[in-house]
Amino acid sequence: MRLDKYISDAMICSRSEADRYIKTGKITVDGKTVKKPDHKVTEKNEICFNGEKLFYSEFIYIMMNKPQGVISATDDPKNIEKTVLSLLPENYLTKGLFPAGRLDKDTVGLLILTNDGKSAHRLLSPKHHVDKTYYVECDKDFAEKDIEICKNGVILDGELTKPCILTIDCEKKNCGTMVLTEGKYHEIKRICNHLGKNVTFLERITFGNLSLDRNLERGMWRHLTPGEVGVLLK
Ligand code: URA
């Protein structure tokens, strides 16, 4: 691939910024300064910026701790709502990132953002049953019988939900975790409504085999490590 594309992907910058780095001699390929943006490189070359080795990844995978009040969308056509993308630096906005699945505006927690359309599609496809765990607080206590009801599924708009595993908190009976293997619209809130309660707080804490990084404050994000990407896509 062209050196400017490699730099723009590896450094998450625009092609024109990449060109500037190359033309001002900041980039070396296998130890030699290369000033031509169209110079061809492969993943076998060692490419450095100011002497530091760069790592190439075709796609970007981000874990965000979504805060309340932002929508899980790439843009808001009416320009009223703040989107999760607006929490990323500007140089990320031209990289084709989108949220893999949605959380409601008032739901917080683990959200994956990526520009890997194929993998995101697979992760979200009902065929693949990727579990998502939510921590939920309600305005009323859960009852033991709610566990069985969630497991058997409830009818929402004429459709039976897939089994949902409810675990009630030992001390605070109005709190618990719920594991979903599908993503119907407002599914947790509607299941809880069906059980006669209103959700007062909802946080996603796992997505497949990934758990929310508790070091990430609300509204903060980080790249997934290569290991985490492997776990996510497995
Ligand atoms: N279920 C909901 O009701 N809301 C979410 O944001 C996610 C799951």
Side-chain angles (χ1 to χ4, degrees):
M1 92 179 62
R2 286 173 58 115
L3 181 59
D4 55 358
K5 159 114 173 85
Y6 185 103
I7 298 297
S8 137
D9 286 349
M11 294 184 64
I12 314 189
C13 64
S14 64
R15 285 279 184 113
S16 57
E17 268 177 293
D19 276 10
R20 194 153 42 78
Y21 296 145
I22 296 165
K23 286 180 180 158
T24 54
K26 290 184 165 28
I27 305 296
T28 56
V29 178
D30 298 332
K32 291 199 188 92
T33 304
V34 173
K35 291 194 171 180
K36 280 188 172 164
D38 64 352
H39 182 84
K40 293 285 185 301
V41 291
T42 72
E43 284 173 42
K44 287 192 185 132
N45 293 116
E46 186 178 87
I47 298 165
C48 297
F49 170 77
N50 280 344
E52 267 193 44
K53 189 169 162 27
L54 296 177
F55 294 92
Y56 183 81
S57 162
E58 191 182 1
F59 298 116
I60 301 172
Y61 304 90
I62 284 173
M63 174 188 292
M64 179 180 281
N65 186 348
K66 181 193 170 295
Q68 283 191 335
V70 293
I71 60 167
S72 303
T74 50
D75 63 353
D76 172 32
K78 292 191 188 136
N79 252 337
I80 301 168
E81 305 284 5
K82 203 170 159 181
T83 68
V84 285
L85 273 196
S86 73
L87 301 175
L88 300 177
E90 216 175 305
N91 51 325
Y92 281 68
L93 302 184
T94 54
K95 298 294 175 188
L97 289 162
F98 58 89
R102 281 166 189 268
L103 292 177
D104 296 338
K105 188 174 164 185
D106 57 354
T107 301
V108 298
L110 177 49
L111 187 67
I112 301 295
L113 294 131
T114 184
N115 53 4
D116 178 356
K118 241 190 190 167
S119 299
H121 182 75
R122 200 163 46 79
L123 283 169
L124 299 172
S125 140
K127 258 195 292 178
H128 290 94
H129 300 292
V130 174
D131 288 358
K132 289 142 201 128
T133 311
Y134 294 83
Y135 169 74
V136 57
E137 290 181 9
C138 288
D139 60 351
K140 293 196 192 92
D141 287 357
F142 287 106
E144 286 301 315
K145 68 174 172 30
D146 293 340
I147 295 173
E148 202 59 23
I149 297 173
C150 286
K151 197 166 129 200
N152 294 335
V154 306
I155 306 277
L156 300 178
D157 288 340
E159 257 185 64
L160 185 67
T161 57
K162 294 234 159 63
C164 163
I165 312 303
L166 166 65
T167 307
I168 305 170
D169 190 281
C170 318
E171 287 168 9
K172 293 190 262 163
K173 299 288 177 201
N174 65 324
C175 303
T177 58
M178 293 172 85
V179 183
L180 292 182
T181 56
E182 58 178 356
K184 290 196 192 323
Y185 181 66
H186 292 333
E187 185 158 355
I188 298 270
K189 290 175 184 163
R190 288 159 74 212
I191 293 174
C192 290
N193 286 159
H194 181 92
L195 301 173
K197 300 164 236 310
N198 291 308
V199 171
T200 53
F201 177 77
L202 189 58
E203 178 183 42
R204 183 152 71 193
I205 52 179
T206 75
F207 185 103
N209 291 322
L210 284 185
S211 296
L212 177 63
D213 179 348
R214 291 292 174 186
N215 293 317
L216 275 183
E217 285 176 28
R218 290 267 191 258
M220 302 305 283
W221 60 276
R222 66 165 174 78
H223 286 262
L224 292 185
T225 64
E228 288 171 331
V229 173
V231 163
L232 180 72
L233 303 186
K234 203 167 86 182

